[in-house]
Amino acid sequence: MAQLPYATAKAGASRDGSVTPADHDPVVFVVDDDDSFRGALTNLLRSVGMRVEAFASAQSLLTTNWPDAPACIVLDVRLKADSGLTVQNDLARAGVELPIIFMTGFGDIPMTVQAMKAGAVDFLTKPFRDQDLLDAVTRAISNDRARRESQRSLTELKVRFQSLSPREQQVMSLVAKGLLNKQIAAELNLSEITVKVHRGQAMKKMGARTLADLLHQAVMLKIREEQA
């Protein structure tokens, strides 16, 4: 890796050198048991304004308080006490869905390919250029921001769906199965006009402007599968 520029930690750094992130500010978690290399990576990332939490061991990472913010993990595939694959599995079991960028030596490429198959978003072969790391982190943060937005949207949809009356939920689930109003009316022993009213109320509460919007929401909520 090329010589990394030195950057003084910004205000808000803790005594151990890590930066305590404000909510929603992106965070990069760096895990490497080589003190010099870990420090160089931390300084590089901070030099371009990124918030960094650096760890010398996987155990320290696994016991950290995860911020409510877009984030990613830059992880050495070979640590003294753990392999990157073990750490990746531990994170998955703990429900941590942050994108992982693996750093690897040439001899570790097969292991890293296995890690990519398990969900890692990128890997960098040492020595790598500063810009390669910055580009990989930018992509990973963007991916995590999109994941968080998707989760937030899904949560909002679930809240809206729960606001529907039981009958409106029934109508929406039958619409999701592709039934027409008259078929839904026969299924629920209602008049077609009543079905139209319930469907209209469901669309209003769900914030669906068109039937296509309602169907898309049903797919996101997996209503077809759950109500089948």
Side-chain angles (χ1 to χ4, degrees):
M1 188 167 84
Q3 183 66 34
L4 302 179
Y6 175 80
T8 303
K10 302 185 189 315
S14 60
R15 291 182 180 179
D16 64 1
S18 64
V19 175
T20 302
D23 282 355
H24 310 306
D25 289 338
V27 186
V28 182
F29 296 93
V30 175
V31 188
D32 197 301
D33 51 23
D34 184 316
D35 294 344
S36 177
F37 194 78
R38 184 177 67 255
L41 293 181
T42 299
N43 287 334
L44 170 62
L45 293 165
R46 287 180 179 165
S47 75
V48 295
M50 294 184 181
R51 295 184 180 273
V52 183
E53 294 283 354
F55 303 92
S57 69
Q59 187 60 37
S60 297
L61 172 72
L62 292 169
T63 57
T64 193
N65 292 321
W66 303 104
D68 180 18
C72 72
I73 300 170
V74 179
L75 175 64
D76 192 349
V77 76
R78 284 192 184 274
L79 300 169
K80 291 175 183 177
D82 299 280
S83 75
L85 290 174
T86 298
V87 178
Q88 184 181 34
N89 291 335
D90 289 343
L91 288 168
R93 282 196 295 269
V96 178
E97 301 180 55
L98 298 183
I100 298 176
I101 300 166
F102 276 104
M103 298 178 291
T104 177
F106 284 108
D108 299 326
I109 289 179
M111 182 188 298
T112 308
V113 170
Q114 186 177 348
M116 294 287 285
K117 290 180 179 179
V121 298
D122 210 339
F123 74 92
L124 302 172
T125 304
K126 299 177 180 178
F128 49 80
R129 299 181 307 127
D130 296 356
Q131 193 59 49
D132 292 337
L133 174 65
L134 297 177
D135 289 345
V137 166
T138 298
R139 287 192 299 270
I141 291 291
S142 178
N143 289 348
D144 195 51
R145 184 175 283 111
R147 176 189 65 83
R148 285 167 54 82
E149 180 59 35
S150 177
Q151 287 184 339
R152 185 160 44 248
S153 296
L154 181 57
T155 298
E156 291 175 356
L157 279 182
K158 288 179 177 179
V159 170
R160 291 180 191 174
F161 184 71
Q162 290 304 315
S163 75
L164 303 185
S165 69
R167 185 65 82 187
E168 288 163 356
Q169 290 183 1
Q170 281 183 312
V171 169
M172 183 173 173
S173 68
L174 293 172
V175 168
K177 291 179 181 179
L179 273 64
L180 301 175
N181 286 341
K182 62 181 180 180
Q183 294 172 313
I184 297 174
E187 179 83 14
L188 300 178
N189 195 27
L190 298 172
S191 70
E192 191 171 344
I193 293 177
T194 301
V195 170
K196 287 181 180 179
V197 171
H198 286 311
R199 193 180 82 174
Q201 285 299 312
M203 291 179 65
K204 182 179 180 180
K205 292 180 181 179
M206 294 297 297
R209 292 176 294 179
T210 65
L211 179 59
D213 288 342
L214 192 68
L215 291 173
H216 176 67
Q217 291 172 341
V219 169
M220 290 184 66
L221 292 168
K222 299 183 179 178
I223 290 176
R224 276 183 77 175
E225 293 85 348
E226 294 175 359
Q227 303 292 328

